[in-house]
Amino acid sequence: MAKKYAFFLGCIMPNRYPGVEASTRYLMTRYGIELLDMKGASCCPAPGVFGSFDLYTWIVIAARNLCIAESLGADIVTCCNGCYGSLQEANHLLKENKELREWVNEILKNIDKEFKGTIEVKHVIEVIEHDIGLNRIRSEIERDLSGLKVAAHYGCHFLKPREVRRHEHPERPTILDRIIETTNAISIDYRDKLMCCGAGGGVRAGSIDVSLDMTREKVQNMMRAGADCLTTPCVFCHLQFDRGQKEIEDRMGVKLGLPVVFITQLIMLALGASPHVLGLQYNIIPVRPLLRKIGL
Amino acid sequence: MSASEQVIQLEKTDPKFVEEIIEYGSKIFGREHMETITACFQCGTCSGSCPSGRRTAYRTRLVMRKALLGLKDEVLSSEELWYCTTCYTCYERCPRGVRTTDIIRVIRNIAAKSGRMKEQHKRVARLLIRFGHAVPITDEFKEIRKALGLSELPPTVHSYPEALDEVRKLIKIMKFDQMVGYQESG
Ligand code: SF4
Ligand code: SF4
């Protein structure tokens, strides 16, 4: 039976980087993975933002989103570490803690919903590794990306906190590097590779200069190591790097210009898709140098 | 800092502050999780790991210390409290298993509840109430969606007004609208 996932879109992917949504849909469809619409889903809501304002509202709204996937009978897949962070954590807390679950369900009664704890929340890179399989992608590569130097940015909330996420060691992860290398590109080493992009926790909204200074440091570290582009599996980090580089130039006068490509866009490029179909032309930082490098 | 500023005046401390933090977070994270704050031995691994502390005066260790000392006002009103990106690096590295990032989120909740929420943050929160998305669609991105072969509006609250009503109903029950100064008319 074909694998099905409830596709949790969140805010930034559908409303700011629709190219990421389109690329992810192409990739999943190509490998027979059906993406079900989560009709009426809202903001996850962002874990470090709404979680910092009111954890109780945060978990109630997250639970409502989880209920939509439960009613579809499908696990969730998301392309944002923030959405993953919120929904996977809320799902974990609600499954583990009966009192919390009962309290949340009492509130959800007002909209005729009930959290049952019947699904899991997955990140798109888990689906790429476990449901598609890297060997399958490797055997179908149509465009040669060898020589392309990619700076992998994991983002924080896919890996941490480890006791909740239960993936690899957060200081020594390999999954994103392995996916990048499946395309024959090189995943480069660079200083402070696992550092935060600076966007989370409401810092982007509340203290933009602090936020952008982290982004600047990270992008400079990547560029010093010779990166041709940076690749992330989190659309919020993606926004912070793409928009952020423009903001860094405007606010600090530091010109960077490192193209930002989402992991599903990078894979689709290697599988032969046209950059236009993937929406790369809508990035704020031009991707032309990267395309030239791969002969486009 | 002068010597007199370094003196902690007992009458200005709130010895119940730690308990307030633990109590507030317990229903969400469990009591044991929250009680880890009392295990902090001030090694500074958290501050040394912090991407915000590297460029600002924010010190994670100090937040834990001040919270334990009951310096409630100082902790709640500090601008730096909002510099944590919730990256969880300190959480992973703390040798005492202090659940720093969650403790910081709880302290921020207490700060927000006491009327110390930033205007920029209230604005983001009001977007969630108004649109169901903290980052709502714009005309420009509707066009881009169409050009990429996607539905003009995503199949989220943006396409289902009754779903947005549900979100708003929950937010009203939680009184989150009052906290962020949301008014019906938008
Ligand atoms: S790393 Fe842990 S024990 Fe050390 S100062 Fe920070 S919170 Fe306290
Ligand atoms: S979670 Fe917050 S306090 Fe801890 S290292 Fe990250 S930014 Fe600093």
Side-chain angles (χ1 to χ4, degrees), chain B residues 127-138:
Chain B
L127 287 174
L128 172 73
I129 308 177
R130 183 151 170 223
F131 299 104
H133 282 295
V135 183
I137 192 93
T138 64

Side-chain angles (χ1 to χ4, degrees), chain B residues 46 49-52 58 60 83-90 101 104:
Chain B
C46 48
S49 305
C50 182
S52 290
Y58 174 59
T60 323
Y83 290 170
C84 164
T85 64
T86 70
C87 77
Y88 287 96
T89 309
C90 55
T101 318
I104 291 160

Side-chain angles (χ1 to χ4, degrees), chain B:
Chain B
M1 201 186 259
S2 72
S4 64
E5 281 174 293
Q6 289 178 17
V7 173
I8 294 164
Q9 291 175 316
L10 275 183
E11 59 273 25
K12 286 192 184 159
T13 65
D14 177 351
K16 292 196 207 81
F17 186 41
V18 184
E19 183 50 34
E20 186 184 349
I21 295 166
I22 294 170
E23 183 63 35
Y24 185 100
S26 288
K27 196 154 129 189
I28 299 275
F29 300 112
R31 197 170 171 90
E32 218 178 298
H33 194 89
M34 293 306 299
E35 273 174 352
T36 57
I37 188 175
T38 61
C40 171
F41 62 2
Q42 290 291 295
C43 66
T45 304
C46 48
S47 297
S49 305
C50 182
S52 290
R54 218 187 259 188
R55 65 205 76 243
T56 69
Y58 174 59
R59 297 291 176 268
T60 323
R61 178 191 64 78
L62 216 54
V63 174
M64 299 301 141
R65 184 68 173 151
K66 287 180 177 172
L68 287 163
L69 284 170
L71 295 169
K72 183 172 174 175
D73 278 341
E74 218 178 304
V75 172
L76 296 186
S77 58
S78 98
E79 161 76 15
E80 281 84 16
L81 180 63
W82 298 93
Y83 290 170
C84 164
T85 64
T86 70
C87 77
Y88 287 96
T89 309
C90 55
Y91 183 113
E92 294 295 337
R93 291 184 184 171
C94 172
R96 299 285 285 164
V98 179
R99 305 305 198 269
T100 44
T101 318
D102 293 340
I103 289 162
I104 291 160
R105 284 197 289 170
V106 166
I107 294 175
R108 284 175 168 184
N109 274 220
I110 297 171
K113 289 246 146 72
S114 65
R116 291 178 170 98
M117 211 170 149
K118 284 187 182 209
E119 194 44 45
Q120 299 100 298
H121 285 149
K122 286 187 181 171
R123 215 177 298 139
V124 176
R126 288 196 294 261
L127 287 174
L128 172 73
I129 308 177
R130 183 151 170 223
F131 299 104
H133 282 295
V135 183
I137 192 93
T138 64
D139 288 342
E140 179 193 353
F141 287 99
K142 282 185 200 168
E143 289 308 313
I144 295 178
R145 288 185 62 83
K146 278 198 284 183
L148 289 169
L150 297 166
S151 56
E152 182 172 340
L153 287 174
T156 60
V157 275
H158 273 337
S159 298
Y160 298 93
E162 64 281 10
L164 179 57
D165 289 342
E166 282 186 12
V167 172
R168 286 183 179 163
K169 194 166 180 184
L170 294 174
I171 279 173
K172 280 221 178 84
I173 294 169
M174 298 307 298
K175 299 194 166 67
F176 187 65
D177 53 337
Q178 294 174 22
M179 192 174 143
V180 300
Y182 178 79
Q183 268 134 20
E184 208 68 46
S185 55

Side-chain angles (χ1 to χ4, degrees), chain A residues 266-294:
Chain A
L266 186 78
I267 298 172
M268 287 308 296
L269 268 182
L271 291 173
S274 138
H276 269 83
V277 167
L278 307 177
L280 287 172
Q281 69 276 31
Y282 300 117
N283 277 17
I284 293 169
I285 301 301
V287 293
R288 204 162 305 111
L290 157 75
L291 298 180
R292 213 175 295 128
K293 179 104 191 185
I294 60 173

Side-chain angles (χ1 to χ4, degrees), chain A residues 50-90:
Chain A
F50 293 93
S52 291
F53 306 157
D54 183 7
L55 283 157
Y56 292 90
T57 302
W58 165 76
I59 204 159
V60 166
I61 303 295
R64 177 185 169 275
N65 284 323
L66 292 166
C67 291
I68 296 175
E70 287 186 348
S71 70
L72 294 169
D75 290 345
I76 286 175
V77 63
T78 104
C79 295
C80 175
N81 285 8
C83 300
Y84 177 77
S86 261
L87 298 178
Q88 195 266 357
E89 182 180 24

